[in-house]
Each structure stands twice: as structure tokens, then as C-alpha cells.
Amino acid sequence: MWLMLLWLSARTCAAPEVLEHHRAAVEHFGYFDFHAAAEEFWEAWKADPDCEPAIINFVIACLHSGRLHEAEVQLQRLLRRHPDEPRITYLQGVLLQRQGKENEARNFFTAVLERDPTDSATLGQLALIAFHQGRFEEALEYVERARREDPSSPMLIYSEARIRLQLGQREAAHRLFEEFRNRKNSEPRPMTGGMGEPTVIPGKYAQLICIDPQQVGENHIDGKSAGQFVTQSP
């Protein structure tokens, strides 16, 4: 698994109890046990209600595990406090998409794109919505823009293949399917998403926020999963 944590230096979140629960949550997340991860992120936040990264990570884990009502409650609270924060806006779009409210989700993703017009994950989500609604030319435009930013993403390659197939471009679609298979077999990147069920498309706004300096730059490799905690300045 390719597990990505965004490192943010936080003034809060430093209490030992918070860090203990956060470390446990990240370990569960790395094993795809998103329910257990959500529980530990929740405990981390309860230990320090001013630690907003913990509750954002809780939302991400809930979206992965299908706990949509809990994610919705916390996102509404976060949106009231930070109405223009792209990460929270993006996660609200994912929530609405998973609830089947694609038109509302599109509005939130469009708002993210206005602030960050080259974010490949947001472009990918908009391509997914356009595909589901039968607007294949629009979907292709979004996915081509996304691939200019992230040309090696297997998910985006697969998405483009599906779109071109719907547009009758069978030769181009088959080439892309072959490229997808080659990358899928060679790269430790998430294979969820594409034109299937709505999902949390890998990208910077869906990364867990790391509050533990001990985890920055760590490798996480064992018998069940392999990945790296990737650091990024805010």
C-alpha cells in the first residue's frame, strides 16, 4: 500500500495520549482497517479537541470505511469554521459523491478547482461525475487535464481508457488499458477509483495529516503492506 501522510507542524496535538492514539490509527490505516483507524483518530481528538488534524483524519477514515453520517457531522462543523479551506471542501465533495449527490459534489469540487486548478485528484473526481452522467467529452477534458499533472497515475490511465471506450475510440482505449495493466503490476499505488464506485481518489487533500514528528520520513514495510510516509510542507 502507498500510505501518504502530509506533515503539518501543529501547535496543539502534542499531548502523549493524542500521539499514542494517532500512531495506532496510522498503523490500522496502513492495514486497510479503516474502521479501527477511525476509532483511534476519534480518541486522539477527544484527548485534545483543539487538534483539528485528528478530526480531519477521522473524517478521511470514515469516508474510506463507509461511516458517512459521522463524516458528515464533522465536515459540517469544519466547514462552518473553515468555509474556504480546500482540503475540507474536497472531502465534503467526496462525501456528497458517495451519498449519490453528484451535482452537489460537483459544486464543491469546482470550488476546490477555482483555488487549485491543477489538482489532479479534483480533476479526476469531476471526470468521474461527468462519466456517470454521460457527459463523456467533458469527462475526457477533465481526465486529460488531470493526466498532464499526474501522467503515471494508474487510476487516471484507467479512467481515460473507459472514457475513450465510451466515445468509440477503441484502439486508443485498448492501448491505455494495456498501459494500466503494466503500471498496476509494477507500482505500489492504489488501484481503487477509476470509473467504478465513488471513492477517495489519492491526492494531497485525501492524505492523512501527520502530527507525529517520529513518523515523518518513516518507511512502513511488512508482510501485509508496503508504503512510505511522504512529507510535504504546508
Side-chain angles (χ1 to χ4, degrees):
M1 180 187 179
W2 189 260
L3 177 61
M4 304 181 73
L5 272 73
L6 176 68
W7 166 247
L8 295 178
S9 178
R11 294 180 181 178
T12 59
C13 311
E17 186 178 358
V18 175
L19 294 176
E20 180 181 353
H21 286 297
H22 189 272
R23 289 168 189 150
V26 169
E27 183 173 357
H28 288 307
F29 200 99
Y31 281 97
F32 304 96
D33 190 349
F34 302 120
H35 177 77
E39 293 298 313
E40 291 290 350
F41 283 132
W42 180 256
E43 293 299 322
W45 179 72
K46 283 171 57 181
D48 182 359
D50 290 328
C51 182
E52 284 196 339
I55 204 65
I56 292 171
N57 288 346
F58 170 77
V59 166
I60 293 170
C62 284
L63 290 172
H64 277 288
S65 61
R67 295 166 58 169
L68 302 185
H69 177 69
E70 292 169 271
E72 182 175 20
V73 170
Q74 297 306 323
L75 279 169
Q76 289 302 309
R77 186 180 66 82
L78 288 165
L79 280 167
R80 285 194 294 271
R81 296 189 64 179
H82 310 287
D84 298 321
E85 213 290 315
R87 174 188 296 272
I88 297 167
T89 304
Y90 176 86
L91 294 174
Q92 178 67 17
V94 172
L95 170 69
L96 290 166
Q97 192 176 20
R98 295 203 61 186
Q99 291 175 328
K101 303 173 182 178
E102 289 193 323
N103 289 330
E104 294 178 54
R106 183 174 59 193
N107 292 335
F108 279 88
F109 291 134
T110 300
V112 175
L113 212 59
E114 289 173 354
R115 290 179 167 270
D116 189 358
T118 61
D119 182 61
S120 62
T122 304
L123 289 163
Q125 295 284 22
L126 287 166
L128 179 62
I129 291 172
F131 181 91
H132 283 165
Q133 295 182 343
R135 302 191 312 275
F136 302 122
E137 294 285 356
E138 180 183 339
L140 182 60
E141 180 183 347
Y142 280 127
V143 84
E144 286 180 334
R145 288 173 60 188
R147 289 203 63 203
R148 283 197 290 272
E149 304 303 323
D150 189 2
S152 63
S153 166
M155 180 210 69
L156 293 175
I157 293 168
Y158 180 76
S159 298
E160 184 177 349
R162 289 288 304 277
I163 294 166
R164 290 194 182 278
L165 195 61
Q166 288 293 327
L167 290 170
Q169 302 173 12
R170 303 184 68 85
E171 186 175 343
H174 291 158
R175 285 199 304 269
L176 288 162
F177 280 129
E178 184 62 28
E179 184 179 356
F180 166 74
R181 283 191 291 270
N182 292 338
R183 290 192 180 277
K184 182 178 179 181
N185 293 331
S186 64
E187 295 188 11
R189 302 187 61 166
M191 291 296 109
T192 57
M195 294 292 109
E197 291 300 314
T199 186
V200 183
I201 291 181
K204 61 187 177 186
Y205 297 131
Q207 292 178 25
L208 296 179
I209 301 174
C210 180
I211 63 173
D212 184 357
Q214 292 185 14
Q215 291 178 322
V216 175
E218 284 187 8
N219 288 326
H220 179 73
I221 301 175
D222 51 47
K224 295 184 180 180
S225 63
Q228 185 178 30
F229 295 160
V230 179
T231 65
Q232 178 177 326
S233 298

